[in-house]
Amino acid sequence: MRVCAVLSGNSMQELLVKAADAKQRGADFVEIRLNSLNDHNNPELIESFPLPVIISCSCTKRQETISSLKKALKFKTEFVDADIAFPKNLIEEIFFYARANGIKTIISYYPEMLPTQKTLKKIIEDMAILSK
């Protein structure tokens, strides 16, 4: 089993401190949700994190999402996470950029309600197509 600590805070400096704490508590990864940061300065601090980093962003504006993720992906990050609710072309663009830079990709699904088995099967099929 692997443990991922989801970090939130105002700045990368704050998240760096929280990542060190997460490591001491036994986390294997940390997730940084870019949209939760008030200060997007210093993305290069990602290289100083003591654990592998998963970058995610649930920004609703297409350009904001791509811009935030591309800035962060220039630095040493292990994974990028895209929400299946993003437009397909946005996921493809993010994943193309990530894979070109040797970054592993994750597709997530955050339901507001538990889906039916039929809906869940369709979501899994869509994820499989996008992950190729």
Side-chain angles (χ1 to χ4, degrees):
M1 178 174 73
R2 302 268 180 148
V3 175
C4 180
V6 178
L7 305 180
S8 61
N10 292 315
S11 68
M12 282 295 206
Q13 290 91 345
E14 184 180 343
L15 296 185
L16 183 58
V17 171
K18 288 183 176 185
D21 183 53
K23 182 177 182 177
Q24 286 184 330
R25 293 173 183 258
D28 299 296
F29 301 91
V30 292
E31 179 179 353
I32 299 173
R33 293 187 176 161
L34 296 177
N35 53 299
S36 70
L37 285 172
N38 292 326
D39 176 3
H40 286 93
N41 293 322
N42 304 315
E44 69 278 2
L45 286 178
I46 291 170
E47 294 180 347
S48 301
F49 277 60
L51 293 167
V53 175
I54 300 169
I55 295 293
S56 66
C57 183
S58 60
C59 306
T60 54
K61 296 178 182 164
R62 183 176 188 276
Q63 273 315 116
E64 183 182 334
T65 300
I66 292 171
S67 175
S68 294
L69 288 171
K70 280 186 176 179
K71 279 183 195 172
L73 293 176
K74 288 180 183 176
F75 302 98
K76 189 184 96 183
T77 184
E78 300 291 321
F79 303 91
V80 62
D81 179 18
D83 189 332
I84 190 70
F86 285 173
K88 181 181 175 190
N89 61 339
L90 176 58
I91 295 171
E92 289 171 344
E93 187 171 350
I94 292 167
F95 282 9
F96 177 81
Y97 186 85
R99 289 175 181 145
N101 289 285
I103 298 166
K104 298 173 189 110
T105 57
I106 299 170
I107 300 176
S108 295
Y109 173 59
Y110 301 99
E112 291 182 22
M113 295 176 26
L114 189 61
T116 65
Q117 188 171 7
K118 182 179 178 181
T119 301
L120 189 56
K121 183 178 179 185
K122 172 73 171 117
I123 291 165
I124 292 168
E125 289 169 357
D126 291 346
M127 288 176 158
I129 291 167
L130 288 168
S131 67
K132 292 181 181 182

